[in-house]
Amino acid sequence: MTTEIDLSRLRTGDRLQRDLFLDNRSVPDAARYARIEAAEAEWIVPLVADIEADLPVLTSRAEWLAALERVLAEERDGAPSSRYLADESTREQFAIVVEEFAPDGLTEAQNFFPAVARLPIRAQMAVMRVMIDEFGCGNLAQAHSQLYRDLLAELDLPSELREVLRDTNDETYAFLNSFYWMASRAVDVEYFLGALAYLEAAIPDAFAFQARACERLGIAHGRYYTEHIHIDDFHMKEMQTAIKECEAARGIDPTKLLAGAILLSSLLGAAMDAAVEKAVAKTAGGR
């Protein structure tokens, strides 16, 4: 079920994914919005069409659940990059990976909000229960972005968004930019629901590798990872509730749910592989 993505599409014309990320986080005047739409039309729209064309047509939510479980089962043992991070990386290499994902950790769940208004009310409630946790239930010390700041501080890394954008991979920006499209501009909200359902189900296994690295390397602020391992089982169930409620209110396309899941699986896998590759390259000769 794993789909290989065309990494050449991570460049939107002659503009980097970083530019699209900055446009997505800016006030969208007419010119900026036109740039966003043009970039997405060249990049993510055909990418999703290719993914969907390769999928079997699903006819029920039960088939979606079975397909999602197959994707998760394929990934449970982790990619070589994740296993390297957990068991072999140096503290310096781990820090490079942490900084690579700082644009995600420092903006966690902020790109989800536009999707809420596109859902029926009962599905909105399930998604909001997930998002409330992401923001620490209003407690700054518990907010996931603050937990990431704590981790960055321990590793002597910059902790403000503007400071971490200079050397971030296109693959990481693509992972982030996909949610802006799915939440705001994709015609079908199922892509967002499928992607977030996949993410919440996959993170407990995926973050186990980072948590293992923190324990091995003696990093005290690994709670960013262990908190996700703890809470995302609840979030996984809430996302399936959101999908069920959406289906009950107005029907749902399970193939598009799976396309969203495959999209995010592919982008996140590419981002992790590129991050670890960068960490190894940057420390070559110093190990």
Side-chain angles (χ1 to χ4, degrees):
M1 187 66 69
T2 301
T3 298
E4 294 294 327
I5 63 173
D6 180 0
L7 295 182
S8 68
R9 281 190 176 153
L10 298 184
R11 286 182 176 269
T12 54
D14 60 354
R15 299 174 59 246
L16 297 177
Q17 288 281 340
R18 176 181 183 274
D19 299 318
L20 180 55
F21 178 75
L22 293 174
D23 278 344
N24 274 321
R25 293 186 60 80
S26 303
V27 177
D29 59 22
R32 182 172 287 121
Y33 204 88
R35 287 201 306 268
I36 291 171
E37 287 193 315
E40 290 174 343
E42 189 175 336
W43 164 56
I44 198 167
V45 172
L47 177 58
V48 171
D50 288 348
I51 289 171
E52 203 165 345
D54 287 340
L55 294 178
V57 176
L58 306 184
T59 60
S60 69
R61 192 161 49 85
E63 289 184 353
W64 142 251
L65 289 169
L68 176 62
E69 179 50 41
R70 288 193 292 273
V71 174
L72 295 170
E74 285 181 10
E75 298 178 354
R76 204 152 278 143
D77 291 337
S81 57
S82 294
R83 296 196 297 273
Y84 177 88
L85 192 68
D87 300 324
E88 300 181 52
S89 64
T90 65
R91 186 183 180 92
E92 182 183 5
Q93 289 171 339
F94 184 78
I96 291 169
V97 173
V98 169
E99 186 171 17
E100 173 64 32
F101 283 100
D104 176 34
L106 294 175
T107 66
E108 188 153 340
Q110 292 175 12
N111 46 7
F112 298 170
F113 279 98
V116 174
R118 304 178 61 192
L119 299 171
I121 185 65
R122 291 182 182 275
Q124 288 180 15
M125 295 302 100
V127 172
M128 283 305 302
R129 286 192 289 272
V130 172
M131 294 174 66
I132 286 168
D133 283 337
E134 303 286 352
F135 290 89
C137 299
N139 181 348
L140 177 61
Q142 305 299 323
H144 292 182
S145 59
Q146 183 58 43
L147 296 179
Y148 209 87
R149 283 188 176 87
D150 294 340
L151 177 62
L152 290 166
E154 180 181 354
L155 295 170
D156 295 319
L157 297 170
S159 60
E160 295 302 322
L161 184 60
R162 65 180 178 275
E163 298 177 288
V164 300
L165 300 180
R166 292 183 292 273
D167 190 35
T168 302
N169 292 333
D170 279 351
E171 291 87 349
T172 300
Y173 283 127
F175 159 60
L176 293 167
N177 286 331
S178 70
F179 267 114
Y180 286 102
W181 176 77
M182 288 185 286
S184 298
R185 288 174 292 280
V187 173
D188 300 295
V189 77
E190 285 96 329
Y191 298 123
F192 170 84
L193 290 173
L196 190 52
Y198 160 79
L199 187 63
E200 300 295 352
I203 283 296
D205 287 324
F207 274 9
F209 295 98
Q210 283 92 329
R212 203 158 84 211
C214 287
E215 183 176 1
R216 177 176 59 83
L217 295 168
I219 294 169
H221 288 90
R223 189 172 166 225
Y224 175 79
Y225 303 112
T226 57
E227 177 64 17
H228 280 82
I229 293 169
H230 163 71
I231 199 64
D232 280 358
D233 180 64
F234 167 71
H235 290 175
M236 171 184 66
K237 294 172 183 175
E238 287 295 334
M239 286 311 303
Q240 294 303 335
T241 296
I243 289 168
K244 181 179 179 181
E245 294 293 352
C246 200
E247 179 185 47
R250 63 191 190 202
I252 206 157
D253 185 334
T255 307
K256 288 182 168 61
L257 294 174
L258 183 57
I262 294 294
L263 171 70
L264 204 68
S265 170
S266 301
L267 293 175
L268 188 52
M272 176 56 77
D273 289 347
V276 173
E277 182 179 349
K278 175 199 279 188
V280 172
K282 280 192 166 186
T283 57
R287 300 184 63 220

